[in-house]
Amino acid sequence: DAAFQKKCLGKMGDVAKEGRTVLFVSHNMTAVSALCVRAVCLEEGSIRVDGKAQEVIKQYLFLNSQVQQSRRWDSKDAPGNEHLHVLQMNALPSVGEVISIDSGVDIEVLFHNAREGRNIDFTFYLQNEHGILLFETGLNITRDSDSRRAVYRVCGHIPPHLLNAGRYSGSILFGEDQCYPLFRMDDVLSFEVANTATGRGSNFGIAPGVIRPLMKWQATLEPEPANRPEVIQP
């Protein structure tokens, strides 16, 4: 559970600080980043990348999450099970031709539901290139046990000026009654958010941080107080 996991990770951190070597094997990039100074990425039993933890994590995520903004499957090989099959997924700019900080992102999922008379829910998970889960969002597709054997289209919108520049991957989960998982696909969709200078004046560099909100700021010149104290030079 979470408490035991926290205790184990804390113990490994303490042992490492004492000068002993700890070999930590995990797919949890957040934990690797927090615990490890050096990391090794293995592929089919051979070392693919060896170096500083942050650089290896970035390479690992890149190797396992190539940009796939649009995916489509024929009905005969569509991923799924006896409950449903996913037919298509898209991540498209809400405005313009390229996904950027200014454009926003439209997420679209088409799936065929195979069973009638139930409540189907959908959840979308978005993580960044460091494997950090940014948020989950979703909806109840049917509410009154009225699902049909048909193709459904699910659409969602990530607003502009929320995501920072970088690479992101999405996972999806279909459930029933918000309790029972029906089908899940991890890292099934990925896209790159292009950088812009919006809100940063002439600074075209990529801003630090996970998100990039366009906040309203203002500066005003305050009147000097009538009884301003005299500044004494040393």
Side-chain angles (χ1 to χ4, degrees), residues 7-84:
K7 182 178 179 181
C8 290
L9 295 177
K11 181 62 177 178
M12 282 188 285
D14 293 340
V15 171
K17 290 177 183 178
E18 295 173 359
R20 298 169 63 184
T21 299
V22 177
L23 181 61
F24 180 64
V25 182
S26 177
H27 291 283
N28 187 329
M29 294 300 102
T30 302
V32 172
S33 177
L35 286 172
C36 304
V37 176
R38 175 191 171 196
V40 176
C41 175
L42 300 178
E43 184 176 28
E44 297 182 355
S46 300
I47 296 177
R48 179 65 182 266
V49 188
D50 181 357
K52 293 182 179 180
Q54 294 300 328
E55 291 300 320
V56 174
I57 289 170
K58 188 174 182 179
Q59 288 294 319
Y60 169 80
L61 293 171
F62 177 79
L63 292 170
N64 289 277
S65 181
Q66 299 296 326
V67 172
Q68 293 179 302
Q69 285 187 214
S70 296
R71 304 192 68 180
R72 185 192 299 267
W73 296 270
D74 295 329
S75 57
K76 61 181 180 180
D77 59 1
N81 53 27
E82 68 274 16
H83 301 291
L84 56 91

Side-chain angles (χ1 to χ4, degrees), residues 133-153:
L133 179 64
L134 304 183
F135 61 78
E136 69 165 46
T137 181
L139 80 161
N140 293 316
I141 299 172
T142 57
R143 294 177 177 272
D144 299 315
S145 299
D146 55 357
S147 67
R148 299 168 54 189
R149 296 184 63 183
V151 174
Y152 286 84
R153 182 188 303 268

